[in-house]
Amino acid sequence: MKRDDSKYYNLADWGLCTSESLAGKIQIIKTLIPSDVKSILDIGCGNGAITNVLGENFDVTGVDISSVALEQVTTAKMQASSAEVPLADNFADMVFSSEVLEHLDEETYRATLNEIARLARKYVLISVPFNETVARQHVQCPDCGLIFPRNYHFRSFNRASMKSLLSGFKLQMTECGGMAVRGYHPRLIRLRHKIVPWEFGVPYSWRHWGTKITVCPDCETQFDVSFKTHPFGFVLDAVNTVIKQKQPYWLITLFQKTQ
């Protein structure tokens, strides 16, 4: 069963995402927008934390699947899936998408990339998590047994993979920013999942313990992921801090149309 994304994102706590908390990212985005851009289409705009700020200087249209999130968007807006945006080809000088692509299933992901390329007249600006260890977030649903990333990030991106992301567009510039975070060595995370019970979640950092609620995308069961210490997990986490260096969280890339 495929998750109803509109239902899921309507339940999200949009109050956690604010223009103030994203001020550093917004500044990077502004520096990457080419001088000849007048109009921007923001696909997956959420509650407008970035969209509304860009709307102060550009003709911005926000698109999101969540009607609840769109209530806070102050620019022109429409409710639609990123895989099927009912707007004309070359709709805006630049298409912008922030922290969207990593959340999409394969079919929606491919369709969304096609829509981004279709709707952009000149440029595309995309922000994604930088070189994320997706398996670090894997949890197991206690009811149906599905293993899935609790943050619903299904793919990882780096500078090399971004080069071939969009057909008909050339990568022009990349910038990294945001809080420095530590990934997890692929072999270590595989070993951790093999020997540590699933109910012992992997802490995002040594400071982020406690309980997190997640929802299974198949059976929609809500359950706790307890970030409590497990002896083997603790050892592997400690080893990982030694061998895995921190890196900026965001990778922001500018593409220019070539066709």
Side-chain angles (χ1 to χ4, degrees):
M1 179 176 67
K2 185 177 179 180
R3 186 184 71 201
D4 181 350
D5 281 336
S6 61
K7 174 182 176 182
Y8 171 76
Y9 286 112
N10 279 338
L11 295 174
D13 186 357
W14 291 106
L16 297 175
C17 184
T18 66
S19 300
E20 291 73 22
S21 66
L22 294 173
K25 182 177 185 179
I26 292 172
Q27 184 57 39
I28 295 175
I29 289 167
K30 286 181 175 181
T31 63
L32 290 176
I33 297 176
S35 59
D36 57 339
V37 168
K38 306 299 180 185
S39 59
I40 298 174
L41 177 64
D42 186 350
I43 296 181
C45 65
N47 66 349
I50 298 176
T51 319
N52 295 340
V53 177
L54 295 180
E56 297 171 0
N57 301 104
F58 301 93
D59 178 11
V60 178
T61 300
V63 176
D64 202 88
I65 199 169
S66 170
S67 59
V68 174
L70 285 171
E71 292 175 358
Q72 301 177 51
V73 177
T74 58
T75 67
K77 56 190 175 182
M78 68 163 49
Q79 183 180 4
S81 166
S82 62
E84 190 174 358
V85 182
L87 294 171
D89 294 357
N90 303 311
F91 176 80
D93 293 334
M94 187 182 82
V95 171
F96 171 61
S97 185
S98 175
E99 317 305 307
V100 172
L101 296 181
E102 66 273 14
H103 290 278
L104 307 178
D105 63 77
E106 189 62 25
E107 180 182 350
T108 306
Y109 173 67
R110 294 299 171 187
T112 297
L113 291 179
N114 289 337
E115 284 293 81
I116 288 174
R118 179 183 71 82
L119 293 162
R121 185 178 303 123
K122 299 178 182 178
Y123 307 100
V124 170
L125 187 62
I126 291 178
S127 174
V128 289
F130 177 40
N131 204 26
E132 184 178 24
T133 309
V134 173
R136 179 183 192 141
Q137 299 289 337
H138 280 179
V139 294
Q140 185 177 48
C141 175
D143 281 4
C144 71
L146 178 72
I147 296 172
F148 67 98
R150 68 174 184 84
N151 60 358
Y152 306 106
H153 290 189
F154 297 101
R155 56 185 55 80
S156 182
F157 301 88
N158 55 41
R159 288 186 176 91
S161 65
M162 294 301 283
K163 287 183 179 180
S164 57
L165 186 71
L166 291 170
S167 176
F169 286 80
K170 183 178 181 181
L171 181 63
Q172 295 293 320
M173 195 177 307
T174 64
E175 290 287 345
C176 291
M179 178 180 68
V181 297
R182 194 185 312 278
Y184 216 105
H185 192 280
R187 290 182 181 177
L188 285 181
I189 197 62
R190 286 196 297 268
L191 179 60
R192 196 185 199 283
H193 288 326
K194 185 176 181 180
I195 66 176
V196 178
W198 284 105
E199 58 264 30
F200 292 88
V202 184
Y204 198 68
S205 77
W206 291 107
R207 294 177 297 173
H208 293 148
W209 297 87
T211 298
K212 302 290 184 180
I213 304 297
T214 192
V215 182
C216 176
D218 269 11
C219 68
E220 299 188 351
T221 296
Q222 295 188 30
F223 61 97
D224 296 345
V225 181
S226 299
F227 291 172
K228 53 188 177 183
T229 303
H230 184 279
F232 292 121
F234 181 84
V235 170
L236 291 173
D237 294 343
V239 172
N240 187 69
T241 62
V242 175
I243 66 176
K244 195 72 174 177
Q245 299 298 312
K246 289 185 176 182
Q247 60 188 15
Y249 182 73
W250 296 310
L251 175 63
I252 307 176
T253 54
L254 175 68
F255 300 84
Q256 185 170 8
K257 200 167 191 176
T258 59
Q259 298 179 356

